[in-house]
Short mmCIF file of all heavy atoms in Angstrom, two decimals:
data_model
loop_
_atom_site.label_atom_id
_atom_site.label_comp_id
_atom_site.label_asym_id
_atom_site.label_seq_id
_atom_site.Cartn_x
_atom_site.Cartn_y
_atom_site.Cartn_z
N ALA A 91 -190.44 0.59 -33.92
CA ALA A 91 -191.64 1.15 -34.55
C ALA A 91 -191.38 1.46 -36.02
O ALA A 91 -192.21 1.19 -36.89
CB ALA A 91 -192.08 2.42 -33.81
N PHE A 92 -190.19 1.99 -36.31
CA PHE A 92 -189.84 2.31 -37.71
C PHE A 92 -189.74 1.05 -38.58
O PHE A 92 -190.12 1.06 -39.74
CB PHE A 92 -188.52 3.08 -37.77
CG PHE A 92 -188.63 4.53 -37.36
CD1 PHE A 92 -187.79 5.06 -36.40
CD2 PHE A 92 -189.57 5.37 -37.94
CE1 PHE A 92 -187.88 6.39 -36.01
CE2 PHE A 92 -189.67 6.71 -37.56
CZ PHE A 92 -188.82 7.21 -36.59
N ILE A 93 -189.18 -0.05 -38.00
CA ILE A 93 -188.96 -1.26 -38.81
C ILE A 93 -190.16 -2.20 -38.83
O ILE A 93 -190.14 -3.22 -39.51
CB ILE A 93 -187.71 -2.06 -38.36
CG1 ILE A 93 -187.91 -2.66 -36.95
CG2 ILE A 93 -186.46 -1.20 -38.44
CD1 ILE A 93 -186.84 -3.67 -36.56
N SER A 94 -191.21 -1.86 -38.09
CA SER A 94 -192.34 -2.77 -37.94
C SER A 94 -193.02 -3.10 -39.27
O SER A 94 -193.66 -4.14 -39.41
CB SER A 94 -193.37 -2.21 -36.95
OG SER A 94 -193.90 -0.99 -37.43
N ASN A 95 -192.88 -2.21 -40.24
CA ASN A 95 -193.54 -2.44 -41.54
C ASN A 95 -192.57 -2.91 -42.62
O ASN A 95 -192.91 -2.88 -43.81
CB ASN A 95 -194.25 -1.16 -41.99
CG ASN A 95 -195.40 -0.79 -41.07
OD1 ASN A 95 -196.16 -1.65 -40.64
ND2 ASN A 95 -195.50 0.49 -40.73
N MET A 96 -191.39 -3.35 -42.22
CA MET A 96 -190.43 -3.84 -43.22
C MET A 96 -190.98 -5.07 -43.93
O MET A 96 -191.71 -5.87 -43.35
CB MET A 96 -189.10 -4.20 -42.56
CG MET A 96 -188.26 -3.01 -42.16
SD MET A 96 -186.64 -3.51 -41.48
CE MET A 96 -185.79 -3.98 -43.00
N ASN A 97 -190.59 -5.23 -45.21
CA ASN A 97 -190.96 -6.42 -45.97
C ASN A 97 -189.85 -6.74 -46.96
O ASN A 97 -188.79 -6.11 -46.95
CB ASN A 97 -192.31 -6.22 -46.67
CG ASN A 97 -192.30 -4.99 -47.57
OD1 ASN A 97 -191.35 -4.77 -48.33
ND2 ASN A 97 -193.34 -4.18 -47.49
N ALA A 98 -190.09 -7.71 -47.84
CA ALA A 98 -189.05 -8.19 -48.76
C ALA A 98 -188.52 -7.10 -49.69
O ALA A 98 -187.40 -7.22 -50.21
CB ALA A 98 -189.59 -9.36 -49.58
N SER A 99 -189.29 -6.03 -49.87
CA SER A 99 -188.83 -4.95 -50.75
C SER A 99 -187.59 -4.23 -50.17
O SER A 99 -186.91 -3.50 -50.89
CB SER A 99 -189.95 -3.93 -50.98
OG SER A 99 -190.21 -3.20 -49.79
N GLU A 100 -187.32 -4.45 -48.89
CA GLU A 100 -186.19 -3.79 -48.24
C GLU A 100 -184.87 -4.56 -48.41
O GLU A 100 -183.82 -4.08 -48.01
CB GLU A 100 -186.47 -3.62 -46.73
CG GLU A 100 -187.78 -2.93 -46.44
CD GLU A 100 -187.60 -1.51 -45.96
OE1 GLU A 100 -186.49 -0.97 -46.06
OE2 GLU A 100 -188.58 -0.95 -45.46
N ILE A 101 -184.94 -5.78 -48.97
CA ILE A 101 -183.72 -6.54 -49.20
C ILE A 101 -182.89 -5.84 -50.26
O ILE A 101 -183.42 -5.43 -51.30
CB ILE A 101 -184.05 -7.98 -49.66
CG1 ILE A 101 -184.90 -8.70 -48.60
CG2 ILE A 101 -182.76 -8.77 -49.91
CD1 ILE A 101 -185.50 -10.01 -49.11
N LEU A 102 -181.60 -5.70 -50.01
CA LEU A 102 -180.74 -5.01 -50.96
C LEU A 102 -180.57 -5.83 -52.25
O LEU A 102 -180.62 -7.07 -52.22
CB LEU A 102 -179.40 -4.70 -50.31
CG LEU A 102 -179.50 -3.63 -49.20
CD1 LEU A 102 -178.19 -3.50 -48.44
CD2 LEU A 102 -179.90 -2.28 -49.77
N PRO A 103 -180.36 -5.17 -53.39
CA PRO A 103 -180.34 -5.84 -54.69
C PRO A 103 -179.36 -7.02 -54.78
O PRO A 103 -178.22 -6.91 -54.35
CB PRO A 103 -179.92 -4.72 -55.66
CG PRO A 103 -180.37 -3.47 -55.00
CD PRO A 103 -180.21 -3.70 -53.53
N ASP A 104 -179.86 -8.12 -55.31
CA ASP A 104 -179.10 -9.34 -55.63
C ASP A 104 -178.60 -10.13 -54.41
O ASP A 104 -177.90 -11.13 -54.57
CB ASP A 104 -177.93 -9.04 -56.57
CG ASP A 104 -178.39 -9.00 -58.03
OD1 ASP A 104 -179.60 -9.10 -58.28
OD2 ASP A 104 -177.53 -8.86 -58.91
N VAL A 105 -178.98 -9.71 -53.20
CA VAL A 105 -178.65 -10.53 -52.03
C VAL A 105 -179.30 -11.92 -52.14
O VAL A 105 -178.62 -12.94 -51.92
CB VAL A 105 -179.07 -9.83 -50.72
CG1 VAL A 105 -178.99 -10.77 -49.53
CG2 VAL A 105 -178.19 -8.60 -50.48
N PRO A 106 -180.59 -12.02 -52.53
CA PRO A 106 -181.20 -13.35 -52.65
C PRO A 106 -180.50 -14.24 -53.68
O PRO A 106 -180.45 -15.46 -53.51
CB PRO A 106 -182.64 -13.05 -53.08
CG PRO A 106 -182.90 -11.67 -52.57
CD PRO A 106 -181.60 -10.95 -52.73
N LYS A 107 -179.96 -13.65 -54.74
CA LYS A 107 -179.23 -14.43 -55.76
C LYS A 107 -178.08 -15.19 -55.11
O LYS A 107 -177.90 -16.40 -55.37
CB LYS A 107 -178.70 -13.48 -56.83
CG LYS A 107 -177.80 -14.14 -57.87
CD LYS A 107 -177.15 -13.11 -58.80
CE LYS A 107 -176.00 -12.37 -58.12
NZ LYS A 107 -175.30 -11.44 -59.04
N ILE A 108 -177.31 -14.51 -54.28
CA ILE A 108 -176.16 -15.14 -53.62
C ILE A 108 -176.61 -16.15 -52.57
O ILE A 108 -176.09 -17.27 -52.50
CB ILE A 108 -175.25 -14.06 -52.98
CG1 ILE A 108 -174.77 -13.06 -54.04
CG2 ILE A 108 -174.07 -14.72 -52.27
CD1 ILE A 108 -174.00 -13.66 -55.19
N LEU A 109 -177.62 -15.78 -51.78
CA LEU A 109 -178.11 -16.70 -50.75
C LEU A 109 -178.69 -17.97 -51.38
O LEU A 109 -178.46 -19.08 -50.88
CB LEU A 109 -179.19 -16.01 -49.90
CG LEU A 109 -178.72 -14.89 -48.96
CD1 LEU A 109 -179.91 -14.23 -48.28
CD2 LEU A 109 -177.74 -15.43 -47.91
N ASN A 110 -179.41 -17.82 -52.48
CA ASN A 110 -179.98 -18.99 -53.16
C ASN A 110 -178.89 -19.92 -53.66
O ASN A 110 -178.98 -21.15 -53.51
CB ASN A 110 -180.86 -18.55 -54.34
CG ASN A 110 -182.24 -18.10 -53.89
OD1 ASN A 110 -182.81 -18.65 -52.96
ND2 ASN A 110 -182.78 -17.09 -54.56
N TYR A 111 -177.85 -19.34 -54.26
CA TYR A 111 -176.75 -20.17 -54.78
C TYR A 111 -176.09 -20.94 -53.63
O TYR A 111 -175.81 -22.15 -53.76
CB TYR A 111 -175.71 -19.31 -55.50
CG TYR A 111 -174.52 -20.12 -55.96
CD1 TYR A 111 -174.59 -20.88 -57.13
CD2 TYR A 111 -173.36 -20.18 -55.20
CE1 TYR A 111 -173.53 -21.67 -57.53
CE2 TYR A 111 -172.29 -20.97 -55.59
CZ TYR A 111 -172.37 -21.71 -56.76
OH TYR A 111 -171.32 -22.50 -57.13
N LEU A 112 -175.81 -20.25 -52.54
CA LEU A 112 -175.15 -20.91 -51.40
C LEU A 112 -176.02 -22.02 -50.83
O LEU A 112 -175.53 -23.11 -50.51
CB LEU A 112 -174.83 -19.88 -50.31
CG LEU A 112 -173.82 -18.79 -50.69
CD1 LEU A 112 -173.70 -17.76 -49.57
CD2 LEU A 112 -172.45 -19.39 -51.01
N LYS A 113 -177.31 -21.77 -50.71
CA LYS A 113 -178.24 -22.75 -50.16
C LYS A 113 -178.33 -23.97 -51.08
O LYS A 113 -178.31 -25.12 -50.61
CB LYS A 113 -179.62 -22.12 -49.99
CG LYS A 113 -180.47 -22.77 -48.91
CD LYS A 113 -179.88 -22.48 -47.54
CE LYS A 113 -180.72 -23.05 -46.42
NZ LYS A 113 -180.03 -22.99 -45.12
#
Side-chain angles (χ1 to χ4, degrees):
F92 284 128
I93 67 169
S94 62
N95 294 318
M96 285 184 75
N97 56 45
S99 70
E100 307 254 12
I101 301 168
L102 291 172
D104 277 5
V105 169
K107 174 188 76 176
I108 302 302
L109 290 175
N110 280 324
Y111 176 80
L112 296 175
K113 206 69 177 169

